[in-house]
Amino acid sequence: MKTKNNTIPNLIGLLLLCPLLTIGQEKQAVRKIHYAPEGNSFVLKNGARKFNRALYGSNTGFRVETGDLPEFAMYMPGMGGNFKLGLVNGKDSKWITEASKIDTKYVLGTIQYEIQDPILDNGKLIVKVVALKEKEGFIVKVYGENVPKKVNLVWAYGGATGKKFSRDGDIGADPESVFYLQPEYCTNNKYTLKKQSFLLEYGSESNKEKTGNNKKLTGYFPGSDIKLANPKQQKTPLELYSSNPENLTLVTGKNAISKSEMFWLFSSEDLKSDVSQKGLSQLYDKSVQETYLLANRVKVVTPDPYINTLGSALSIAADGIWESPAYLHGAIAWRMYLNAWRGAYTADPLGWHDRAKTHFTSYSNSQVTAPENGPIVLDTVRNFARQKEVMGTSMFSSGYISRNPNKNTVAHHYDMNLVFFDQMLRHFKWTGDTSFMKEMWPTIQRHLNWEKEISIRIMTDFMMLMRQFGRAMLYNTAVAV
């Protein structure tokens, strides 16, 4: 018997059905391209967002928050303060984030701004930012082009609390306002002012020991007319600079603008280096070179300019999720250790074979070695959806890899063993490191035995459960009859 071919009628039916499926649905807004490629850069004109472009440097939880608009914050993790710049021309003043024209360029892990506004007449203000590579901190470089002498730059720093945000400031989870220089963030901020630096002591509001300020950071700046001011009066730079400190304070300064470069450095660590303007210039150049070297680890050259920016973005992102001795779940939100999230896959293609080896070694030390096996204990609180997170049960027995490197005593609901060993096998295939294979072989053996034991136990318990279920059904049937 021949089978009738209904392909063409079916296709016609689907085409006729499509308009019916869209009836009553709202028209979706067309998404706009946020950034455009320009060589190795992501560029944007007149953006509207703040704190949506993190700069990483030190392979720690620290980052400097920058964005489409030129206002900056330090996350330590925990709020380490906000740095903002403003322009003053006579009685006219505005923050540079309010300028009429702002060209933003994310270049190989650094960010640059070109600012134009009637307050500058026909001049331009150039602002560039880079995170330090060897310490937790960042440098801001500022200079002018054809800026009238009557125009001054006002800068302000403050609002350090040490408090962590609910999702560490992740875009879409925490509002951008968490990074604003909010007056209440200035509670118990204590400043020690010097000629070209200040010491900020903070942390009383996040100190669980309740022993007052337990954190500090240092700011270095060009020769400025500096003072303490009132963070409740930030409507304009001129208003802030003219204010007098009350119970809450921040530090502010005023500088002339010229083609000569000025540098600001903020760090939570002792730099043990030259912090003069000349020294900061050298440190800025060194930090930019180190960041560019990292970003150029992968270069993509194609006829498509959108694809050509991806190599540097990949390199920066992959470096941002590394914190020795292992890769992290994420660089901002979910910045935590998990043995087999996707980060470790980036190590070998980017040439970080040493990082891959350290990652696998540290997690081999996290493999549970006893007991040999255990009972299946379902989590009643989770409606039997997973095993109870208790060491010594069937899942959390010999062979299981715990979530934290070099620590095999913590149960966690994720079973990431298969992905972890897939990453390890890919590393072996990439490097051909037979000595490391031999070193890891006992870890692999325990994993294979664990997988086999888990499968047998689950199947055995499942069959027992089905037999009990069958008996119950027979009993209920007999009672009904």
Side-chain angles (χ1 to χ4, degrees), residues 188-259:
N188 291 331
N189 281 190
K190 180 182 177 182
Y191 294 90
T192 302
L193 303 183
K194 295 184 179 181
K195 187 176 180 180
Q196 286 188 264
S197 69
F198 67 81
L199 174 68
L200 168 56
E201 297 174 84
Y202 70 99
S204 65
E205 302 307 289
S206 59
N207 184 355
K208 294 181 180 179
E209 302 299 322
K210 304 298 180 183
T211 55
N213 288 330
N214 60 346
K215 304 179 191 302
K216 62 181 181 180
L217 63 83
T218 306
Y220 302 92
F221 48 85
S224 308
D225 296 326
I226 63 165
K227 57 176 289 190
L228 297 179
N230 188 347
K232 293 181 180 179
Q233 298 184 32
Q234 297 183 61
K235 187 175 181 180
T236 68
L238 189 58
E239 178 187 78
L240 177 64
Y241 189 76
S242 302
S243 69
N244 294 313
E246 296 179 355
N247 59 323
L248 301 176
T249 59
L250 55 71
V251 62
T252 182
K254 184 166 67 172
N255 294 79
I257 303 172
S258 70
K259 63 181 180 181

Side-chain angles (χ1 to χ4, degrees), residues 8 54 95 198 243 260 313 327 356 452:
I8 293 177
W95 297 108
F198 67 81
S243 69
S260 298
Y327 280 94
K452 188 184 300 181

Side-chain angles (χ1 to χ4, degrees), residues 368-374 391-400 450 454:
V368 178
T369 56
E372 193 68 27
N373 51 57
M391 298 301 293
T393 61
S394 181
M395 181 171 176
F396 307 112
S397 58
S398 179
Y400 176 78
W450 178 80
I454 288 290

